[in-house]
Amino acid sequence: MTRTLEPAATPADIIVVSPTSGDTVATLPSATTAEVDAAIARARGAQREWWGMTSDARSKVLWRWSELLDEHAEELATLDARCTGKVIRDGLSEVRTAARYARYWAGQTDKLFGDQLNDVPGRLSYTLREPLGVFGVIIPWNAPCLGSVSRTLPPLGCGNAVIVKPSEFSPLSALRNAELAREAGMPEHLYQVVVGAGDIGAHLAAHPGVDGISFTGSVETGRKVNIAAAATFKRTTLELGGKSPVIVFPDADLDEAALGVLIGILMNAGQICAANSRLLVHESVAEEFTAKLLERAQRVEVGDPLDPRTQVGPVVCRRQYDKVMDFIASAEAEGATIAVGGGRPLHLSEDRGLFIAPTIITNVRPDMRVSREEVFGPVLGVSTFATEEEAIELANDSEFGLSSYVWTTDGARLHRMAERIESGVVHGNTYLVMDVQLPFGGFKNSGVSNAFGNEAIEACTQVKRVTVRTGAGPLPSPWPGV
Ligand code: NAD
């Protein structure tokens, strides 16, 4: 049995390692670039077949897929738990969410409308909304099953074919989803999965046979994908990283806010793009609020992701573990205080799993690394502010602009903050809310375009104008005598 906590030992094989035990979960051959080329060619034919079906038939397939997702929720959630350490209750909830997304898109297949344009008498113009063709869907490891459904549904629902490149850390649920998609009635090769590391993603992003890219991942990789895709003018949807501020005003319900902030930073061991990673709390309640956070943080159940009582599991891999620990060390070296956590939970000190205790760092300044870069771990940095104006300045002082959270009972203030915070989503008095019908896209370096809501239709279709001369008279000509 392999006892390494690192991924692929040889470039040809993808070795999936459990972050909980260190054991090998699966060894899969990486796709070759020739295999990716062949998959793209097959996808083209499948896409024609899919788009040639009635919208009702496509709808029925997507609906059936949603039923199969629900039926296989336990199995899919277990695959994600084994590959990534995602706790089973979160994994189950994500598969149920994936099924809900499929039901939503089942209802969209007959709502891809064009327009009839009032042009001039004797001329008729209208638009056709058409699929782009073949989509490359490159996803990360933090919500593998949900990602392989939620990011493929907009292209599929709009009549495209997809080639999914799951993360090398978590390819199993996407592979299983491809089987379920086929069982649901999708044409063969409409939903294909290519297993591999970044080089396979890069090949897909640059490939001239791919028409659209839906990428979810880090800013650094997103930039490379965008550059590669630009060479062939591909449509891109980029869902990237975040460093989301959470602002707590003194009039907030502090107990609720403390619970919300903790869930917001510890869900999925902090490995969420929209994690509540930067807490800005009003100086008048900072001490009281921090005490509430610390007390609750110590009650969070960290442990085996397959145990239904567990609330926070391990981080995904050794590299991520070391990265998070390095952030904690850097914050301390720069003068911040580790108020709770900062290493392995005591009860798991001898465990082989990659567990990190819920960590709250106080006295954090905006210039510290832990304030500026995405940690992607269970680490909350706490800073204070004195005025609303300062809170806005601090919140916006970031290259990211994905999500934000405001806790206050003053309704007018909430809307004022929503107008001025630079992020794609602003939440009031809640932790992260996501749903298929709600747009979720990043401002600034956090992304381009939107994979949710009706905005996703724009990203996955192209509009064709048709103009026909209907007038009975002669062809109007600007060239007399010709
Ligand atoms: P990552 O950028 O390292 O990898 C994402 C995917 O890209 C993987 O499948 C990877 O194999 C592939 N890849 C790597 N190099 C590539 C290249 N040169 N060309 C094409 N593909 C390449 O990200 P990660 O570590 O897997 O995931 C964590 C990141 O994802 C975080 O930054 C997080 O914020 C972000 N994320 C964003 C959202 C969102 O909706 N905005 C959602 C989830 C995760």
Side-chain angles (χ1 to χ4, degrees):
M1 213 169 267
T2 308
R3 289 285 172 187
T4 168
L5 288 176
E6 285 302 326
T10 61
D13 277 342
I14 296 298
I15 301 176
V16 182
V17 176
S18 160
T20 314
S21 65
D23 296 340
T24 297
V25 176
T27 302
L28 305 166
S30 170
T32 62
T33 52
E35 283 165 348
V36 177
D37 296 348
I40 293 167
R42 288 192 298 264
R44 182 79 46 203
Q47 189 272 327
R48 278 194 284 269
E49 190 183 335
W50 181 236
W51 189 234
M53 289 163 60
T54 63
S55 56
D56 185 43
R58 285 197 299 277
S59 169
K60 281 185 181 139
V61 170
L62 296 184
W63 190 273
R64 180 67 192 126
W65 194 27
S66 84
E67 291 173 336
L68 289 170
L69 288 164
D70 269 334
E71 285 166 28
H72 291 81
E74 192 93 30
E75 177 196 350
L76 291 162
T78 305
L79 290 177
D80 281 358
R82 292 177 64 216
C83 293
T84 69
K86 179 180 291 294
V87 302
I88 194 77
R89 65 162 92 180
D90 292 351
L92 278 169
S93 145
E94 286 182 12
V95 183
R96 304 269 179 233
T97 302
R100 144 106 179 105
Y101 281 30
R103 286 192 294 279
Y104 174 90
W105 278 98
Q108 290 290 72
T109 57
D110 56 1
K111 296 172 189 67
L112 302 172
F113 304 118
D115 289 316
Q116 183 259 308
L117 305 162
N118 289 322
D119 203 351
V120 296
R123 203 164 68 193
L124 170 66
S125 289
Y126 58 92
T127 59
L128 297 171
R129 186 170 284 281
E130 298 182 345
L132 294 180
V134 177
F135 257 79
V137 180
I138 304 170
I139 51 174
W141 44 262
N142 68 334
C145 177
L146 180 57
S148 69
V149 177
S150 66
R151 301 306 198 260
T152 54
L153 276 165
L156 290 169
C158 293
N160 300 278
V162 294
I163 296 176
V164 184
K165 209 302 277 172
S167 166
E168 53 274 39
F169 293 102
S170 55
L172 300 188
S173 52
L175 287 165
R176 186 70 183 108
N177 264 331
E179 292 170 357
L180 296 179
R182 184 83 181 108
E183 193 180 328
M186 284 190 207
E188 195 178 7
H189 309 312
L190 186 76
Y191 184 115
Q192 298 178 79
V193 175
V194 290
V195 172
D199 55 331
I200 292 301
H203 188 67
L204 209 49
H207 201 290
V210 171
D211 307 290
I213 289 285
S214 170
F215 172 82
T216 308
S218 62
V219 171
E220 190 189 352
T221 312
R223 189 171 282 121
K224 289 184 197 158
V225 166
N226 210 22
I227 290 169
T232 46
F233 303 103
K234 289 182 185 46
R235 193 81 62 82
T236 49
T237 302
L238 304 172
E239 310 256 347
L240 309 178
K243 188 78 207 175
S244 301
V246 44
I247 303 169
V248 177
F249 284 98
D251 62 1
D253 178 328
L254 296 186
D255 286 308
E256 275 211 343
L259 177 61
V261 170
L262 269 193
I263 295 171
I265 184 60
L266 298 181
M267 208 191 299
N268 210 33
Q271 302 165 118
I272 286 192
C273 53
N276 290 205
S277 50
R278 277 192 298 148
L279 172 62
L280 308 171
V281 55
H282 191 267
E283 59 189 15
S284 66
V285 290
E287 203 174 314
E288 181 189 353
F289 189 67
T290 309
K292 287 180 190 292
L293 280 176
L294 298 183
E295 190 273 319
R296 281 180 189 269
Q298 290 169 79
R299 285 192 272 136
V300 173
E301 296 281 347
V302 182
D304 180 357
L306 288 169
D307 182 335
R309 287 165 307 182
T310 297
Q311 293 162 334
V312 174
V315 295
V316 70
C317 65
R318 168 65 61 183
R319 193 183 64 194
Q320 192 63 20
Y321 182 90
D322 291 344
K323 188 178 145 200
V324 175
M325 295 308 285
D326 186 53
F327 268 111
I328 297 171
S330 82
E332 203 169 18
E334 287 178 272
T337 310
I338 313 300
V340 73
R344 282 180 169 278
L346 281 181
H347 70 290
L348 295 167
S349 57
E350 301 298 315
D351 200 281
R352 296 169 39 75
L354 300 170
F355 297 102
I356 300 177
T359 298
I360 298 176
I361 308 180
T362 54
N363 299 319
V364 168
R365 291 189 318 271
D367 61 314
M368 291 180 179
R369 254 189 82 212
V370 75
S371 287
R372 308 213 68 79
E373 297 174 29
E374 188 180 40
V375 176
F376 228 55
V379 178
L380 176 69
V382 185
S383 309
T384 59
F385 67 89
T387 63
E388 191 176 305
E389 196 58 35
E390 191 191 2
I392 291 166
E393 259 173 47
L394 289 170
N396 290 342
D397 180 20
S398 173
E399 65 165 305
F400 301 102
L402 189 58
S403 185
S404 56
Y405 307 83
V406 181
W407 291 85
T408 175
T409 47
D410 178 340
R413 168 149 59 197
L414 237 173
H415 292 291
R416 258 196 323 275
M417 298 295 287
E419 276 172 20
R420 296 191 58 198
I421 294 179
E422 298 162 355
S423 65
V425 188
V426 181
H427 294 85
N429 297 321
T430 178
Y431 54 87
L432 175 66
V433 173
M434 286 184 87
D435 192 20
V436 61
Q437 64 196 336
L438 304 176
F440 183 82
F443 284 13
K444 303 200 261 187
N445 285 357
S446 288
V448 175
S449 194
N450 214 301
F452 292 80
N454 282 340
E455 280 79 355
I457 294 176
E458 292 298 324
C460 298
T461 55
Q462 54 195 347
V463 168
K464 178 187 284 172
R465 170 169 65 88
V466 180
T467 296
V468 178
R469 182 162 62 94
T470 56
L475 180 71
S477 169
W479 294 351
V482 175

